[in-house]
Amino acid sequence: MMRNERGFTLIEMLLVLMVFSIITMIAVSFSYRYVKMNQYDQAIEQLRLTLHLAQSIAQKEQSVAYVYSKEGNEIALITLFREYELSWNTPEGMSIYFHTKSNRIRFISNGSISEIGSIEIITPEKTIKYSMNMSKGRLRLIE
């Protein structure tokens, strides 16, 4: 006599659950990495905008503007006669360092950088170095 069985065995269900769990773990790890890399890219763009803002403030106010890094985690822009114009923190795991004589970038009244140097951006994935170069009155970051 033959029995008519319907449904899945416990082993089949556990196998499907295990495959589903592995796929979910892989997807979550890739999405987390993508989000972190996106945060790092946004911070690099914010740094570029901060440098260009400091340059334009120095030119507009015919003054001196400084951009510096506090312990690699906080970027600040200040002018000679004012308090902070702008301050922001880097994402967790990211550090930014300025390698100049005074460990800051100083823009003088014509918008030029007074000290040539480099910027080092450290993330868990990679390290990026930019050299600062003034050409035709514009700030250029050369990787």
Side-chain angles (χ1 to χ4, degrees), residues 82-134:
R82 296 185 188 175
E83 291 296 317
Y84 290 99
E85 292 284 332
L86 176 71
S87 178
W88 55 275
N89 292 322
T90 61
E92 186 177 327
M94 180 180 194
S95 299
I96 299 174
Y97 298 101
F98 300 129
H99 299 289
T100 60
K101 288 180 187 175
S102 59
N103 291 329
R104 63 182 177 205
I105 301 171
R106 180 177 179 244
F107 291 93
I108 56 178
S109 60
N110 67 357
S112 298
I113 300 173
S114 65
E115 299 172 6
I116 300 299
S118 66
I119 300 171
E120 183 178 27
I121 302 169
I122 301 170
T123 65
E125 300 288 324
K126 60 184 173 181
T127 298
I128 303 168
K129 284 195 174 188
Y130 289 109
S131 62
M132 295 175 288
N133 184 14
M134 289 298 294

Coordinates of all heavy atoms in Angstrom, one line a residue, residues 82-134:
R82 N 37.5 85.9 12.5 CA 36.2 85.3 12.9 C 36.5 84.0 13.6 O 37.5 83.4 13.5 CB 35.2 85.1 11.8 CG 34.8 86.4 11.1 CD 33.8 86.0 10.1 NE 33.4 87.2 9.3 CZ 32.6 87.2 8.3 NH1 32.1 86.1 7.9 NH2 32.4 88.3 7.6
E83 N 35.4 83.5 14.2 CA 35.4 82.2 14.7 C 35.2 81.2 13.6 O 35.3 81.5 12.4 CB 34.3 82.0 15.8 CG 34.6 82.8 17.1 CD 35.8 82.3 17.8 OE1 36.0 81.1 17.9 OE2 36.6 83.2 18.3
Y84 N 34.8 80.0 13.9 CA 34.6 79.0 12.9 C 33.6 79.4 11.9 O 32.5 79.9 12.2 CB 34.1 77.7 13.5 CG 35.1 77.0 14.4 CD1 35.1 77.1 15.7 CD2 36.0 76.2 13.8 CE1 36.0 76.5 16.5 CE2 37.0 75.5 14.6 CZ 37.0 75.7 15.9 OH 37.9 75.0 16.7
E85 N 33.9 79.3 10.6 CA 33.0 79.5 9.6 C 32.3 78.1 9.3 O 31.1 78.1 9.0 CB 33.7 79.9 8.3 CG 34.3 81.3 8.3 CD 33.2 82.4 8.2 OE1 32.2 82.1 7.6 OE2 33.4 83.5 8.8
L86 N 33.0 77.1 9.4 CA 32.5 75.8 9.0 C 33.3 74.7 9.8 O 34.5 74.8 9.9 CB 32.7 75.5 7.5 CG 32.3 74.2 6.9 CD1 30.8 74.0 7.0 CD2 32.8 74.1 5.5
S87 N 32.6 73.7 10.3 CA 33.2 72.6 10.9 C 32.4 71.3 10.7 O 31.2 71.4 10.8 CB 33.3 72.9 12.4 OG 33.9 71.8 13.1
W88 N 33.1 70.2 10.3 CA 32.3 69.0 10.1 C 33.3 67.8 10.5 O 34.5 67.9 10.5 CB 31.8 68.8 8.7 CG 32.9 69.0 7.6 CD1 33.3 70.2 7.1 CD2 33.6 68.0 6.9 NE1 34.3 70.0 6.1 CE2 34.4 68.6 6.0 CE3 33.6 66.6 7.0 CZ2 35.3 67.9 5.2 CZ3 34.4 65.9 6.2 CH2 35.3 66.5 5.3
N89 N 32.6 66.7 10.8 CA 33.4 65.5 11.2 C 33.4 64.5 10.0 O 32.5 64.3 9.3 CB 32.7 64.8 12.4 CG 32.9 65.6 13.6 OD1 33.9 66.3 13.9 ND2 31.8 65.7 14.4
T90 N 34.5 63.7 10.0 CA 34.6 62.7 9.0 C 33.8 61.5 9.4 O 33.6 61.3 10.6 CB 36.1 62.3 8.8 OG1 36.6 61.8 10.0 CG2 36.9 63.4 8.3
P91 N 33.4 60.6 8.5 CA 32.7 59.4 8.9 C 33.7 58.5 9.8 O 34.9 58.6 9.7 CB 32.4 58.7 7.6 CG 32.5 59.7 6.5 CD 33.5 60.7 7.0
E92 N 33.1 57.6 10.5 CA 33.8 56.7 11.4 C 34.7 55.8 10.5 O 34.4 55.3 9.5 CB 32.9 55.8 12.1 CG 33.5 54.9 13.2 CD 32.5 54.1 14.0 OE1 31.4 54.6 14.2 OE2 32.9 53.0 14.3
G93 N 36.0 55.7 11.0 CA 37.0 54.9 10.2 C 37.8 55.7 9.2 O 38.6 55.2 8.5
M94 N 37.5 57.0 9.0 CA 38.2 57.8 8.0 C 38.9 58.9 8.7 O 38.4 59.6 9.7 CB 37.1 58.5 7.1 CG 37.7 59.3 6.0 SD 36.4 60.0 5.0 CE 37.3 60.6 3.6
S95 N 40.1 59.2 8.3 CA 41.0 60.3 8.8 C 41.5 61.1 7.6 O 41.8 60.6 6.6 CB 42.1 59.7 9.6 OG 41.6 59.0 10.7
I96 N 41.6 62.4 7.9 CA 42.2 63.3 6.9 C 43.3 64.1 7.5 O 43.1 64.7 8.6 CB 41.1 64.3 6.3 CG1 40.0 63.5 5.6 CG2 41.7 65.3 5.4 CD1 38.8 64.3 5.2
Y97 N 44.5 64.1 6.9 CA 45.6 64.8 7.4 C 46.2 65.8 6.4 O 46.3 65.4 5.2 CB 46.7 63.9 7.9 CG 46.3 63.0 9.0 CD1 45.9 61.7 8.7 CD2 46.2 63.4 10.3 CE1 45.5 60.8 9.8 CE2 45.8 62.6 11.3 CZ 45.5 61.3 11.1 OH 45.0 60.5 12.1
F98 N 46.6 67.0 6.8 CA 47.3 67.9 5.9 C 48.8 67.9 6.2 O 49.2 68.1 7.3 CB 46.7 69.3 6.1 CG 45.2 69.5 5.9 CD1 44.4 70.0 6.8 CD2 44.7 69.0 4.7 CE1 43.1 70.2 6.6 CE2 43.3 69.1 4.5 CZ 42.5 69.7 5.4
H99 N 49.5 67.7 5.2 CA 51.0 67.6 5.3 C 51.6 68.9 4.7 O 52.0 68.9 3.5 CB 51.6 66.4 4.7 CG 51.0 65.1 5.3 ND1 51.4 64.7 6.5 CD2 50.2 64.2 4.8 CE1 50.8 63.5 6.8 NE2 50.0 63.2 5.7
T100 N 51.6 69.9 5.5 CA 52.3 71.2 5.2 C 53.2 71.5 6.4 O 53.2 70.8 7.4 CB 51.3 72.3 4.9 OG1 50.5 72.5 6.1 CG2 50.3 71.9 3.8
K101 N 53.9 72.7 6.3 CA 54.7 73.1 7.4 C 53.9 73.2 8.7 O 54.4 72.9 9.8 CB 55.4 74.4 7.1 CG 56.5 74.2 6.0 CD 57.1 75.6 5.8 CE 58.1 75.5 4.6 NZ 58.6 76.8 4.3
S102 N 52.7 73.8 8.6 CA 52.0 74.1 9.8 C 50.8 73.1 10.0 O 49.9 73.4 10.8 CB 51.4 75.5 9.7 OG 50.6 75.7 8.6
N103 N 50.7 72.1 9.2 CA 49.6 71.1 9.3 C 48.3 71.7 9.1 O 47.3 71.2 9.6 CB 49.7 70.3 10.6 CG 50.9 69.4 10.6 OD1 51.4 68.9 9.6 ND2 51.4 69.2 11.8
R104 N 48.2 72.7 8.3 CA 46.9 73.3 7.9 C 47.1 74.0 6.5 O 48.2 74.2 6.1 CB 46.5 74.3 8.9 CG 47.4 75.5 9.0 CD 47.0 76.5 10.1 NE 48.0 77.5 10.2 CZ 48.2 78.2 11.2 NH1 47.5 78.0 12.3 NH2 49.1 79.2 11.2
I105 N 46.0 74.3 5.9 CA 46.1 74.9 4.6 C 45.7 76.4 4.8 O 44.6 76.7 5.3 CB 45.2 74.2 3.6 CG1 45.6 72.8 3.4 CG2 45.2 74.9 2.2 CD1 44.6 71.9 2.6
R106 N 46.6 77.3 4.4 CA 46.4 78.7 4.6 C 46.2 79.3 3.2 O 47.1 79.3 2.3 CB 47.6 79.3 5.3 CG 47.5 80.8 5.5 CD 48.7 81.2 6.3 NE 48.7 82.6 6.5 CZ 49.5 83.5 6.0 NH1 50.5 83.1 5.2 NH2 49.4 84.8 6.2
F107 N 45.1 80.0 3.0 CA 44.8 80.7 1.8 C 45.0 82.2 2.1 O 44.5 82.7 3.1 CB 43.3 80.5 1.3 CG 43.1 79.1 0.9 CD1 42.6 78.2 1.7 CD2 43.3 78.8 -0.5 CE1 42.3 76.9 1.3 CE2 43.0 77.5 -0.9 CZ 42.5 76.5 -0.1
I108 N 45.8 82.9 1.2 CA 46.0 84.3 1.4 C 45.0 85.1 0.6 O 44.2 84.5 -0.1 CB 47.5 84.7 1.1 CG1 47.9 84.2 -0.3 CG2 48.4 84.0 2.1 CD1 49.3 84.6 -0.7
S109 N 45.1 86.4 0.7 CA 44.0 87.3 0.2 C 43.8 87.1 -1.3 O 42.7 87.4 -1.8 CB 44.3 88.7 0.5 OG 45.5 89.1 -0.1
N110 N 44.8 86.7 -2.1 CA 44.5 86.5 -3.5 C 44.0 85.1 -3.9 O 43.8 84.8 -5.0 CB 45.8 86.9 -4.4 CG 46.9 85.9 -4.1 OD1 46.8 85.0 -3.3 ND2 48.0 86.1 -4.8
G111 N 43.8 84.3 -2.9 CA 43.2 82.9 -3.1 C 44.3 81.9 -3.2 O 44.0 80.7 -3.4
S112 N 45.6 82.3 -3.2 CA 46.6 81.3 -3.3 C 46.9 80.6 -2.0 O 46.6 81.1 -0.9 CB 47.9 82.0 -3.7 OG 47.8 82.6 -5.0
I113 N 47.5 79.4 -2.1 CA 47.9 78.7 -0.9 C 49.3 79.2 -0.5 O 50.2 79.3 -1.4 CB 47.9 77.1 -1.2 CG1 46.6 76.6 -1.6 CG2 48.4 76.4 0.0 CD1 46.6 75.2 -2.1
S114 N 49.5 79.4 0.7 CA 50.8 80.0 1.2 C 51.8 78.9 1.3 O 53.0 79.1 1.2 CB 50.7 80.8 2.5 OG 50.3 79.9 3.5
E115 N 51.4 77.7 1.6 CA 52.3 76.5 1.7 C 51.8 75.4 0.8 O 50.7 74.9 1.0 CB 52.4 76.0 3.2 CG 52.8 77.1 4.1 CD 52.7 76.6 5.6 OE1 52.3 75.4 5.8 OE2 52.9 77.4 6.5
I116 N 52.7 74.9 0.0 CA 52.4 73.8 -0.9 C 52.6 72.5 0.0 O 53.5 72.4 0.8 CB 53.2 73.7 -2.1 CG1 53.0 75.0 -3.0 CG2 52.9 72.5 -3.0 CD1 51.6 75.2 -3.4
G117 N 51.7 71.5 -0.2 CA 51.9 70.3 0.5 C 51.0 69.2 0.0 O 50.7 69.2 -1.2
S118 N 50.6 68.3 0.8 CA 49.7 67.2 0.4 C 48.6 67.0 1.4 O 48.7 67.4 2.6 CB 50.5 66.0 0.1 OG 51.0 65.5 1.4
I119 N 47.6 66.3 1.0 CA 46.5 65.9 1.8 C 46.4 64.3 1.8 O 46.5 63.7 0.7 CB 45.1 66.4 1.3 CG1 45.2 68.0 1.3 CG2 44.0 65.9 2.1 CD1 44.0 68.6 0.6
E120 N 46.4 63.7 2.9 CA 46.3 62.3 3.0 C 45.0 61.9 3.6 O 44.6 62.3 4.7 CB 47.4 61.8 3.9 CG 47.5 60.3 4.0 CD 48.6 59.8 4.8 OE1 49.1 60.5 5.7 OE2 49.1 58.7 4.6
I121 N 44.2 61.1 2.9 CA 42.9 60.6 3.3 C 43.0 59.1 3.5 O 43.4 58.3 2.6 CB 41.8 60.9 2.2 CG1 41.8 62.4 2.0 CG2 40.5 60.3 2.7 CD1 41.0 62.8 0.8
I122 N 42.8 58.7 4.8 CA 42.9 57.3 5.1 C 41.5 56.7 5.4 O 40.8 57.2 6.3 CB 43.8 57.1 6.4 CG1 45.2 57.7 6.1 CG2 44.0 55.6 6.8 CD1 46.1 57.8 7.3
T123 N 41.2 55.6 4.7 CA 40.0 54.9 5.0 C 40.4 53.4 5.2 O 41.5 53.0 4.9 CB 39.0 54.9 3.8 OG1 39.6 54.3 2.6 CG2 38.6 56.4 3.4
P124 N 39.5 52.6 5.7 CA 39.9 51.2 5.9 C 40.2 50.5 4.6 O 40.9 49.5 4.6 CB 38.6 50.6 6.6 CG 37.9 51.7 7.2 CD 38.2 52.9 6.4
E125 N 39.6 50.9 3.5 CA 39.8 50.3 2.2 C 41.0 50.7 1.5 O 41.7 49.9 0.9 CB 38.6 50.6 1.3 CG 37.3 50.1 1.8 CD 37.1 48.6 1.8 OE1 37.6 48.0 0.8 OE2 36.5 48.0 2.7
K126 N 41.4 52.0 1.6 CA 42.5 52.5 0.9 C 43.0 53.8 1.5 O 42.4 54.4 2.3 CB 42.1 52.8 -0.6 CG 41.0 53.8 -0.8 CD 40.6 53.9 -2.2 CE 39.4 54.8 -2.3 NZ 38.9 54.9 -3.7
T127 N 44.2 54.2 1.0 CA 44.8 55.5 1.4 C 44.9 56.3 0.1 O 45.5 55.9 -0.9 CB 46.1 55.3 2.1 OG1 45.9 54.6 3.3 CG2 46.8 56.7 2.4
I128 N 44.4 57.6 0.1 CA 44.5 58.5 -1.0 C 45.4 59.6 -0.6 O 45.2 60.2 0.4 CB 43.1 59.0 -1.4 CG1 42.2 57.8 -1.7 CG2 43.2 59.9 -2.6 CD1 40.7 58.2 -1.8
K129 N 46.3 60.0 -1.5 CA 47.1 61.2 -1.3 C 46.9 62.2 -2.5 O 46.9 61.8 -3.6 CB 48.6 60.8 -1.3 CG 49.0 60.2 0.0 CD 50.5 60.1 0.2 CE 50.8 59.6 1.6 NZ 52.2 59.8 1.9
Y130 N 46.6 63.4 -2.1 CA 46.5 64.5 -3.1 C 47.6 65.5 -2.8 O 47.9 65.8 -1.7 CB 45.1 65.2 -2.9 CG 43.9 64.5 -3.2 CD1 43.0 64.0 -2.3 CD2 43.6 64.3 -4.6 CE1 41.9 63.3 -2.6 CE2 42.4 63.6 -4.9 CZ 41.6 63.1 -3.9 OH 40.5 62.4 -4.3
S131 N 48.2 66.0 -3.9 CA 49.1 67.1 -3.8 C 48.4 68.3 -4.2 O 47.6 68.3 -5.2 CB 50.4 66.8 -4.6 OG 50.0 66.8 -6.0
M132 N 48.6 69.4 -3.5 CA 47.9 70.7 -3.8 C 48.8 71.4 -4.8 O 50.0 71.6 -4.6 CB 47.7 71.4 -2.5 CG 46.8 70.7 -1.5 SD 46.6 71.6 0.0 CE 48.2 71.3 0.7
N133 N 48.1 72.0 -5.8 CA 48.8 72.7 -6.8 C 47.9 73.9 -7.2 O 46.7 73.8 -7.4 CB 49.1 71.8 -8.0 CG 49.9 72.5 -9.1 OD1 50.5 73.5 -8.9 ND2 49.9 71.9 -10.2
M134 N 48.5 75.0 -7.3 CA 47.8 76.2 -7.8 C 48.2 76.4 -9.2 O 49.3 76.5 -9.6 CB 48.2 77.5 -7.0 CG 47.8 77.5 -5.6 SD 46.0 77.4 -5.4 CE 45.6 79.0 -6.0

